Amino acid sequence: MEEEAAAERSNLAGVRHILLVLSGKGGVGKSTISTELALSLRHSGKKVGILDVDLCGPSIPRMFRVQDNDVHQCDSGWVPVFVDQDKSISLMSIGFLLEKPDDAVVWRGPKKNALIKQFVADVAWGDLDFLIVDTPPGTSDEHISTVEALRPYKPLGAILVTTPQAVSVGDVRRELTFCKKTGLRVLGIVENMSGFVCPHCSECTNIFSKGGGEELAKHAGVPFLGCVPLDPQLSQSLEEGRDFIQEFPKSSAFPALARIAQQILDGTSQRSS
Amino acid sequence: MEEEAAAERSNLAGVRHILLVLSGKGGVGKSTISTELALSLRHSGKKVGILDVDLCGPSIPRMFRVQDNDVHQCDSGWVPVFVDQDKSISLMSIGFLLEKPDDAVVWRGPKKNALIKQFVADVAWGDLDFLIVDTPPGTSDEHISTVEALRPYKPLGAILVTTPQAVSVGDVRRELTFCKKTGLRVLGIVENMSGFVCPHCSECTNIFSKGGGEELAKHAGVPFLGCVPLDPQLSQSLEEGRDFIQEFPKSSAFPALARIAQQILDGTSQRSS
């Protein structure tokens, strides 16, 4: 009860839904999915924050092209970085705290845990419909600390991202075990980089094989949120910090990303009603 | 001096060259490059070991299709898992120590550090030409502990793997800073997933853009070891635990991988002469 009372006074009191984006393996597209989910939710009129707890390899600032911004202090803590004038998307990342963006954060666990606690307690998010927590690969300090620090705020759950290959799917299986151990609900699995449609001949090749994510979801009894194809327009948008959802509604990845966001919205509206 | 005397009595005394495979970002192909480098070096008649210090997402056992093997004890420590009857490639990974391969290793830093120390001290490698250390993404506990534990054995240096996108290249820049901070020599940069040659029309598409790795190497004044293209035959070989170097000499990734191994061999023969 005391924990709950503290939660009501905290910087996260105005945040309606918190969700984590996890994956055992790196480079499967956690930050891509976090970014595009935020853009899709904004497209539906929602206010969204992204908390990037990848301390050794933060990519969120660059994906929104705000990597040169600094974080300022206010009375209630750190002011997140706003992506647009409407302040509809706000970000917090260690990338904003480094003097030079190439600085390596050579930190052992305890130091990382302390910063994550601060990230959860001290960012003045204000009112948000969604806070998306983008995590590093693995199931270690950052994950344990994040889940522990967020527990009083009752996160909605986790989206697990995988690529189709067996190796990556094995890692997601470990992540499912992690969710079970820590009591985190699995909102669903996303299979990223599911196939490549050649822009020259329009034939699809499954570079990394296909179908592992859906199979795993079925096996584990959790929702499958969809396949996102490999799409050069999507990679380029992320590299240039452009709004893919706004600019490329006809691309092959767009319907997949929109569907993922819609399922998250449907899940929360059911929950509130 | 005492440290050196201890090194001469150790399990690593018969290992000629130690090299690390690093990358700030996950999923760029560290384990792929480690595996193919080991296979290429064996092809040149070398004896090779791989130490997998990715404790949360070990992929090496699966890439050699020996994930169901167990590690046994002998007088001088743990016996590594041999991939072939000739015992030309041997492996050590946490994957061999887990009861179920899907078990999540939810460990904080200190526990990880202890296992890494054991991995460095207690594996009975015997005589090896090369020991390749495959690392997890980032610059944290596993990396600091590995570099510290290996220091008395004077590692040859590190191969940094990146994909062409700016985000990934930013992460490798952080890894360069890490090498400088810890005094680890950079053997060179590999750009992985550099382009996709469509098997239907043979046109090449740079799904993740191109050239970032070479540019970065030039900028940092370190060798560029080459570009490895996206190659479905390579992904499939890794998934099925097949010897790509033996079976697909005509594939698009083969010459790139062979050239990387040759440069490592050239570097070490110069060094010994």
Side-chain angles (χ1 to χ4, degrees), chain B residues 11-12 15 49-51 80 90-92 119 123-128 131:
Chain B
N11 268 322
L12 289 174
V15 177
I50 301 183
L51 174 60
S90 47
L91 312 175
M92 179 52 72
F119 269 175
V123 181
W125 295 106
D127 288 325
L128 290 183
L131 178 64

Side-chain angles (χ1 to χ4, degrees), chain A residues 26-27 56-57 59 101-109 112-113 139-141 145 167 171 173-174 177 196 200 203, chain B residues 26-27 56-57 59 101-109 112-113 139-141 144-145 167 171 173-174 177 196 200 203:
Chain A
C56 293
S59 7
D102 299 342
D103 277 353
V105 177
V106 186
W107 288 2
R108 287 190 181 271
K112 295 195 284 191
N113 299 334
T139 48
S140 189
D141 284 293
S145 299
V167 174
D171 283 318
R173 222 170 262 163
R174 282 188 279 269
T177 317
F196 174 64
H200 301 100
E203 288 280 346
Chain B
C56 293
S59 5
D102 299 341
D103 276 354
V105 178
V106 186
W107 287 3
R108 288 189 180 272
K112 294 196 285 190
N113 300 333
T139 49
S140 191
D141 284 292
I144 308 172
S145 301
V167 173
D171 282 318
R173 222 169 261 163
R174 283 188 279 268
T177 317
F196 174 65
H200 302 100
E203 289 279 347

Side-chain angles (χ1 to χ4, degrees), chain A residues 24-28 56-59 62-63 98 101-110 112-113 137-142 144-145 148 164-167 170-171 173-175 177-178 181-182 193 196 198-201 203-209 230-232 235-236 238-239, chain B residues 24-28 56-59 62-63 98 101-110 112-113 137-142 144-145 148 164-167 170-171 173-175 177-178 181-182 193 196 198-201 203-209 230-232 235-236 238-239:
Chain A
K25 192 170 156 57
V28 299
C56 293
S59 7
R62 199 167 194 134
M63 287 185 172
L98 300 174
D102 299 342
D103 277 353
V105 177
V106 186
W107 288 2
R108 287 190 181 271
K112 295 195 284 191
N113 299 334
T139 48
S140 189
D141 284 293
E142 292 90 334
I144 307 172
S145 299
E148 278 177 5
Q165 315 95 300
V167 174
D171 283 318
R173 222 170 262 163
R174 282 188 279 269
E175 208 74 29
T177 317
F178 172 80
K181 275 190 187 176
T182 57
M193 311 190 200
F196 174 64
C198 176
H200 301 100
C201 70
E203 288 280 346
C204 182
T205 306
N206 296 319
I207 304 182
F208 299 119
S209 86
L230 267 173
D231 180 342
S235 322
Q236 208 187 335
L238 289 163
E239 206 168 319
Chain B
K25 194 172 155 56
V28 299
C56 293
S59 5
R62 198 167 192 135
M63 285 183 174
L98 300 174
D102 299 341
D103 276 354
V105 178
V106 186
W107 287 3
R108 288 189 180 272
K112 294 196 285 190
N113 300 333
T139 49
S140 191
D141 284 292
E142 291 90 335
I144 308 172
S145 301
E148 278 177 6
Q165 314 95 301
V167 173
D171 282 318
R173 222 169 261 163
R174 283 188 279 268
E175 208 73 27
T177 317
F178 172 79
K181 276 191 186 173
T182 56
M193 308 189 202
F196 174 65
C198 176
H200 302 100
C201 70
E203 289 279 347
C204 181
T205 306
N206 296 318
I207 303 182
F208 300 119
S209 85
L230 269 174
D231 182 341
S235 322
Q236 209 187 335
L238 289 162
E239 206 168 321

